[in-house]
Amino acid sequence: MDKKKKLLIVVLLLLCVGIATVPLLLIHDSEFGGADGAAEETIMAISPDYEPWAESLLEPPGGETESLLFCLQAALGALVIGYGFGYLVARKNYSQKDS
């Protein structure tokens, strides 16, 4: 890998870290809620006597466990997508070398 590509990778990684950390550092005392909480609030505002007709099969013991499961799901999805792209690139490279 040449020097330009290495520099580009480092700059892009730093940009990703900056995008993830700058809002957390600049926005103090904020609550980052999920879509589930916002949907529940909206439903209760529209119809206060609404009762859900289904419940979760597995209820996590706390918010940390729920966050952990969400992160694991995101990591698994990233691995599958990364493997797919890697497979496609490798297949293209090997097919070009054979011809």
Side-chain angles (χ1 to χ4, degrees):
M1 199 174 347
D2 64 335
K3 221 173 188 180
K4 279 186 171 183
K5 284 187 180 181
K6 287 181 183 179
L7 179 64
L8 178 64
I9 290 172
V10 169
V11 169
L12 289 175
L13 286 173
L14 289 174
L15 184 64
C16 289
V17 169
I19 288 172
T21 57
V22 167
L24 295 174
L25 296 174
L26 295 180
I27 305 172
H28 297 288
D29 299 326
S30 61
E31 185 177 325
F32 296 101
D36 294 341
E40 184 179 350
E41 288 175 12
T42 304
I43 290 171
M44 288 301 169
I46 294 170
S47 177
D49 57 337
Y50 173 78
E51 299 246 353
W53 55 273
E55 293 183 17
S56 297
L57 296 175
L58 174 68
E59 195 68 35
E64 297 85 15
T65 307
E66 189 175 348
S67 295
L68 172 68
L69 291 173
F70 181 75
C71 289
L72 287 174
Q73 179 184 0
L76 182 62
L79 282 171
V80 169
I81 291 172
Y83 177 80
F85 280 128
Y87 177 79
L88 292 174
V89 169
R91 186 176 69 172
K92 179 181 174 188
N93 287 342
Y94 286 122
S95 69
Q96 287 178 353
K97 287 181 183 178
D98 290 342
S99 37

